[in-house]
């Protein structure tokens, strides 16, 4: 094969990708040779980055360099190319077939590209045996055609260079937002039979079962050993094992996930989904508790409302799922976190690991403080007004209004629980809370946060447990078998 023919073949096989970077701030580009298109798509979706790919040359664009911190462990050849200014263009030039056809000429071809790029003040980000990646300053006349001319001026070749389109792939968050919109559009059209089955199930939520779990957790039951569940206490480890045992006895796959040596573990119970086993709906609560001194492992901290109430709601719902043989389209994960009180430590560890694994958590619902009822007020189910997804809150409000007519549904400014850990990482998440206004529980974070005291309402907890269960049935697509 002569030099000219090799060039014609090579030129015809060029892949020229011109990606105009449109956002305002610099972005990181990463090259991940050797990744398959499927792996590339997964990377882009799970990391919530904007991505473009061409064959095995992957480019990921994102403003957050931390997204790439562990890329190299999965793909040893991966590397960050550069900050790309929005006013610049990045081109990829493939040359692998030239290499195989006529190795002797490739070096010369490579130096021509180098020369041409230098004339245009281009910065060569990367070159290897298969490709050049170069960034050009923004000049109106430097478009693909001029770039081609520059490269080929000395070659006098009329062949068109193939222009490969860019492929933006939707991110995990975008996909889940689309799923949410679709669910919102169809909610309310389930039909009478489905509704009746849901109401029958929700009717089974009862105060006695909730009281059983609660009084064991707080130490008010005569056979309970607990005086605190502070994450630093040894008793919290015992509480975690007790909670895990409950889930295991209900048929869930249960694990204790240690995230810090000096703190008790998260309890994670999984029920695999029927249609989408790799998509997760997470129900959360935190079993740890605190006294006024957040770090005291010995001070009494019964934590009935905060968050024995959410922990008991989850256990009761799990038990009703078992009894009624409810199955779900999505995999349901009951996560009972530790160290919420020290600043969402357990949930942040969980969410970070989930994100790194690429877990597709479609929705996350936290339940924290469900049982206090201020004298003279109606029962309430409140959703947070911040650190949450407002579209998710809107549909969740509709669901609770429909299935739990006993409660007023509203927003609250009360803040901060484990759903935030998920929200921070781009998962759709929210929380249910007992009250439309701020926290009114006068035993909040005190040794008096018991089940048997004024203001603690098992009836209110029952309704909020129904609210949470209705969300699970709708969002995880529960089906009642019997
Ligand atoms: Zn709490």
């Amino acid at each position: 094969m002569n030099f000219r023919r090799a060039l014609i073949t090579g030129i015809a096989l060029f892949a020229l990708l011109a990606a105009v970077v449109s956002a305002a701030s610099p972005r990181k580009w990463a090259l991940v040779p050797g990744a398959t298109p499927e792996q590339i798509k997964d990377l882009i979706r799970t990391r919530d980055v904007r991505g473009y790919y061409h064959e095995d040359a992957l480019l990921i664009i994102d403003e957050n360099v931390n997204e790439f911190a562990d890329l190299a462990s999965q793909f040893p050849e991966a590397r960050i190319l550069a900050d790309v200014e929005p006013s610049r263009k990045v081109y990829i030039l493939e040359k692998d077939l030239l290499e195989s056809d006529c190795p002797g000429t490739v070096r010369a071809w490579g130096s021509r590209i180098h020369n041409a790029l230098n004339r245009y003040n281009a910065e060569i980000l990367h070159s290897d045996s298969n490709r050049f990646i170069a960034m050009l300053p923004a000049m109106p006349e430097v478009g693909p055609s001029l770039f081609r001319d520059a490269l080929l001026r000395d070659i006098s070749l009329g062949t068109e260079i193939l222009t490969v389109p860019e492929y933006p792939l939707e991110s995990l968050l975008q996909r889940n937002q689309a799923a949410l919109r679709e669910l919102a559009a169809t909610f309310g059209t389930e039909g009478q039979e489905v509704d009746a089955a849901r109401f029958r199930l929700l009717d089974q939520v009862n105060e006695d079962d909730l009281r059983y779990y609660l009084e064991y957790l707080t130490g008010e039951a005569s056979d309970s050993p607990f005086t605190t569940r502070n994450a630093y206490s040894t008793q919290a480890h015992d509480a975690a094992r007790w909670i895990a045992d409950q889930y295991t006895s209900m048929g869930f796959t249960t694990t204790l996930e240690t995230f810090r040596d000096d703190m008790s573990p998260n309890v994670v119970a999984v029920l695999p989904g029927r249609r989408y086993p790799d998509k997760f709906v997470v129900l959360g609560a935190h079993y740890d508790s605190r006294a006024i001194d957040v770090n005291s492992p010995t001070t009494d901290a019964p934590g009935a409302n905060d968050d024995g109430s959410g922990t008991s709601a989850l256990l009761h719902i799990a038990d009703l799922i078992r009894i009624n043989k409810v199955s779900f389209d999505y995999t349901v994960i009951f996560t009972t976190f530790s160290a919420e009180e020290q600043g969402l430590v357990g949930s942040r560890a969980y969410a970070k690991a989930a994100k790194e694994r690429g877990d597709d958590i479609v929705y996350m619902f936290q339940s924290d403080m469900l049982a206090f009822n201020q004298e003279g007020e109606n029962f309430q189910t409140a959703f947070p007004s911040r650190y949450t997804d407002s579209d998710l809150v809107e549909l969740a409000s509709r669901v609770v209004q429909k299935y739990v007519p006993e409660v007023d549904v509203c927003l609250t400014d009360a803040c901060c629980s484990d759903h935030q850990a998920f929200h921070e990482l781009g998962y759709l998440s929210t929380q249910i809370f007992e009250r439309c206004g701020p926290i009114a529980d006068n035993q909040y974070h005190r040794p008096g946060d018991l089940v048997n005291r004024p203001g603690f309402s098992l009836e209110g907890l029952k309704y909020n447990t129904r609210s949470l269960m209705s969300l699970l049935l709708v969002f995880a697509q529960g089906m009642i078998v019997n």
Side-chain angles (χ1 to χ4, degrees), residues 286 288 305-307 340-341 366 368-369 416-417 444-445:
H286 70 88
D288 69 304
N305 194 26
D306 185 13
D307 183 25
E340 189 270 357
E341 301 292 8
Q366 172 76 353
D368 193 357
M369 300 180 70
C416 303
S417 192
Y444 177 55
H445 293 170

Side-chain angles (χ1 to χ4, degrees), residues 192-253:
Q192 284 184 348
E193 222 171 288
V194 171
D195 275 344
R198 285 175 178 169
F199 275 115
R200 272 199 305 278
L201 198 58
L202 295 170
D203 265 354
Q204 295 178 45
V205 175
N206 67 84
E207 295 175 33
D208 288 347
D209 284 4
L210 289 164
R211 178 188 289 278
Y212 166 76
Y213 298 120
L214 263 170
E215 290 188 344
Y216 195 84
L217 288 166
T218 61
E220 286 166 273
S222 58
D223 60 341
S224 166
F226 299 130
T227 57
T228 178
R229 302 185 307 280
N230 185 287
Y232 290 117
S233 70
T234 52
Q235 290 191 48
H237 289 265
D238 297 336
R241 273 191 294 274
W242 182 78
I243 294 164
D245 287 347
Q246 306 304 305
Y247 283 115
T248 303
S249 71
M250 296 170 195
F252 289 80
T253 304

